[in-house]
Amino acid sequence: MHAQEMIRTHPDVRGNTNDILIRCIEECCDCAQVCISCADACLAEDMVHELRQCIRLDLDCADLCTAMASIATRRTGSNEELIRMMLQACGTACRLCAEECERHADRHEHCQVCAESCRRCEQACMQAMDTIRPSTH
């Protein structure tokens, strides 16, 4: 990932990066990819009807992770309130997806991999939320 390098060069950042938020951006990008792959793998399983909720949560989580990464990557201006709200929503989506995937992890290795990725992303979101302070304008 090149998020650190790109954000560091942004004129509004001037090298003063929030490394915890950048780690979260990278975890979100990774989690989105893993969730999409897990949903696709679930669709290929023989008992796909038993995995409907897993697929739904995989796709919801992927969408929120992608949106979170996009919003947090933008450094022009400020939008701390929205970033905090997105971190909370993304963390919740990751938790719910991980819980669902963990229900299937003993039968489907892709669900185990996805649950682990979601847990890492959830943790990264919660850590990043502690670094975002409401703006004073």
Side-chain angles (χ1 to χ4, degrees), residues 27-50:
E27 288 291 348
C28 285
C29 291
D30 183 59
C31 190
Q33 184 275 320
V34 169
C35 285
I36 291 168
S37 184
C38 185
D40 185 62
C42 286
L43 287 170
E45 295 291 349
D46 290 336
M47 303 302 279
V48 68
H49 65 281
E50 293 177 12

Side-chain angles (χ1 to χ4, degrees), residues 103-122:
R103 289 185 182 99
H104 311 285
D106 60 329
R107 290 168 291 168
H108 307 292
E109 187 176 4
H110 54 85
C111 286
Q112 178 63 41
V113 171
C114 189
E116 291 168 2
S117 180
C118 287
R119 292 291 184 195
R120 282 191 306 274
C121 192
E122 175 189 14

Side-chain angles (χ1 to χ4, degrees), residues 80-97:
E80 287 84 1
E81 183 178 0
L82 182 59
I83 291 172
R84 285 183 59 79
M85 291 174 66
M86 287 299 299
L87 285 165
Q88 182 67 46
C90 187
T92 299
C94 288
R95 178 182 54 79
L96 294 172
C97 189

Side-chain angles (χ1 to χ4, degrees), residues 14-30:
R14 301 179 197 267
N16 187 19
T17 60
N18 178 338
D19 294 342
I20 294 170
L21 183 60
I22 291 171
R23 182 179 151 271
C24 180
I25 292 167
E26 292 173 346
E27 288 291 348
C28 285
C29 291
D30 183 59

